[in-house]
Amino acid sequence: MGEFLLGLHCIGCNREYGPWAVDYVCPRCGPVAGALDLVYDYRLLSQRMGPGTFAETRRPSLWRYEALLPVSADYAVRLRAGWTPLYTSPDLARELGVGALWLKDDTLHPTASCKDRGTAVTVAAARKLGRPALACASTGNAASSLAGFAAAAGIPCYIFVPRTAPTAKLAQLVAYGAVVFKVDGTYDQAYALALEACDRFGWYNRSDGQNPIVVEGNKTAAFEAWEELKGDLPDFALVSAGDGSVVAGIAKGFLELKRVGFTDRVPVVYGVQAEGAAAIAQAFARFQAGEPVLPASERAETIADSICVGTPRDALRAVRTVAETGGGFITVSDGEIVAAVRELARRAGVFAEPSGAAPLAGLRRLAADGTIPTGGRVLLFITGSGLKDPRGGLEGVAEPPVIPPTLSAVEEALG
Ligand SMILES: *Cc1c(COP(=O)(O)O)cnc(C)c1O
Ligand SMILES: [Zn+2]
C-alpha cells in the first residue's frame, strides 16, 4: 500500500513534492507556513474503494485505513493504535439540549492518549525509511507515545519535554527506556532544542508541526467515527487543540471521506483551546478578518498541560482545515475544564485528563450561545486519560475522609 499517495503539497506556496522527497516542512517556506500535506489520488481511490473496504481488512486498528495512509501495514509495530470505542451519552445529551452526543474514547490507547495514532504511522514510516533513531519534543503525551512505540519497534528514542511535564507521563518515558531530556524551559524551548538535535544526530523527528505523517495518523479518528456511525456523521465535532495537529487531522479525515465519495456532508469541526493558551483561536480570528494568520510566540498557562502551547506548530494547517469544514475555534477557562473532567467521569464513566475533557466545556459554550442548535448531533473526541495527570480529577474536590475500620464509623460518615 501507499500506492495511492501522490506526494506532498505545501500549504504555504502550493509547491508539490514527490512522495518521501521531503521529511518535514517545505524547504522554501519553513515551519508552520510551509506545513506539508500528504495528497492521495482521491479519484482512483473512489473507483477502487467501496464503503466496505475498511471492514474487509478485518484489522481492529487504524491500519484498516491503509488505503488512505502513506505506509503499508507491513511496517506497523505490534502495539494497537486506533479502533477505539464510540459511546453514546443520552443522559448528557438531554442535559445539554443537543439531539445526540457521542464520545470517541481515545484514552483507550496503548499509551493512553490519541497521540498513538500519529505515532503508529510515523514509526511505520521510520521503519520503511530505515531511520536509526526516533525523537520528539512534546508536552508529554506525544513523548510517551513515541517512547512506547519505539520500544515495541526496538528503535532508540530521544525525548525532549519541559521539566514541568506531569509525573505519570515521565514515568511512562522512563519505563519505556527512552533517553529523556527534561529541558529547563518551556515546551517551545524544548521543541527548538529537539529540532537542533535531530539535525545534528540524524534522528527521525515525530514532533507535531514538523512531521507531516503525524496528521495522517490523526485523521483516522474521523474515519472510525464514520464507520462506527454507519456513515451517518454528526453535525458537529469538537476536539481540543494545542499545536493544532490533532484537530487538523480530524478535519482532514472528514474532508477525505467526502473526497472519496463516502459522504456528501462533513461535520462542522471546532477546536477547543484554553483561555490561557489560545494562540490558534486568535490566529483563526485574524484569518476571518483577512489578516496575516501566523501566530507570534506567546506565554501559555493552563491546567490542561497537553494543550499548553504558546507557539502552535501546526496553526496554519489547523486554521485552514477547520475553516474548510465551516467550523472554528473556541476558548474555555480552566474552571470550565476542571468541571468538564468531573462531569465526564461522573455522567459518562470516562476519566479524561483536562485536555481530554475540554471539548465538553467547549460544547457547553457553543450550546449556550446557540452556535450548536437544540437537536444538533455532536461528537466529542476525548483525547487523553485522566490517569495521565490526576490533578484534573482532584482539583477543588474534598479529600475523602479517613475512618477507623469499623461499621459504626461508616454509619457515622454516611450520617
Ligand atoms: C496532543 C493532545 C491534544 C492536542 O493536540 P495538538 O495536536 O497539540 O493540537 C489534545 N489532547 C491531548 C490529550 C493531547 O495529548
Ligand atoms: Zn512552501
Side-chain angles (χ1 to χ4, degrees), residues 169-384:
K169 298 182 185 183
L170 280 172
Q172 286 181 296
L173 294 174
V174 175
Y176 288 131
V179 178
V180 182
F181 302 102
K182 278 174 83 171
V183 180
D184 189 8
T186 61
Y187 167 53
D188 301 318
Q189 290 169 307
Y191 191 99
L193 184 57
L195 265 185
E196 278 185 76
C198 285
D199 203 34
R200 170 77 61 89
F201 303 112
W203 303 333
Y204 190 58
N205 194 347
R206 181 239 180 267
S207 297
D208 282 342
Q210 274 294 309
N211 199 315
I213 310 285
V214 172
V215 177
E216 301 307 292
N218 293 346
K219 76 187 182 187
T220 60
F223 298 163
E224 287 176 23
W226 174 83
E227 262 197 286
E228 288 164 316
L229 293 170
K230 303 196 166 36
D232 188 14
L233 286 169
D235 306 315
F236 298 89
L238 279 70
V239 65
S240 59
D243 275 314
S245 298
V246 169
V247 69
I250 283 168
K252 179 178 183 183
F254 288 129
L255 292 163
E256 281 191 339
L257 288 170
K258 191 170 172 192
R259 273 175 207 135
V260 298
F262 284 5
T263 182
D264 21 282
R265 185 176 60 80
V266 298
V268 173
V269 176
Y270 275 90
V272 181
Q273 294 212 283
E275 279 172 359
I280 306 182
Q282 289 155 11
F284 191 81
R286 290 194 296 274
F287 173 78
Q288 284 183 307
E291 293 164 18
V293 171
L294 291 193
S297 189
E298 286 176 34
R299 268 196 47 194
E301 205 178 325
T302 165
I303 187 173
D305 67 281
S306 298
I307 53 171
C308 188
V309 179
T311 313
R313 306 298 167 161
D314 228 350
L316 188 61
R317 190 202 308 271
V319 163
R320 294 256 192 95
T321 323
V322 162
E324 213 177 321
T325 70
F329 288 82
I330 181 163
T331 61
V332 293
S333 71
D334 275 13
E336 291 171 298
I337 291 173
V338 169
V341 168
R342 212 166 303 147
E343 194 173 22
L344 203 55
R346 292 181 186 188
R347 304 291 295 277
V350 175
F351 182 32
E353 63 169 274
S355 304
L360 177 58
L363 168 55
R364 269 200 183 287
R365 286 246 178 152
L366 293 177
D369 74 12
T371 307
I372 295 182
T374 310
R377 299 158 71 251
V378 185
L379 167 61
L380 305 180
F381 289 92
I382 311 301
T383 46

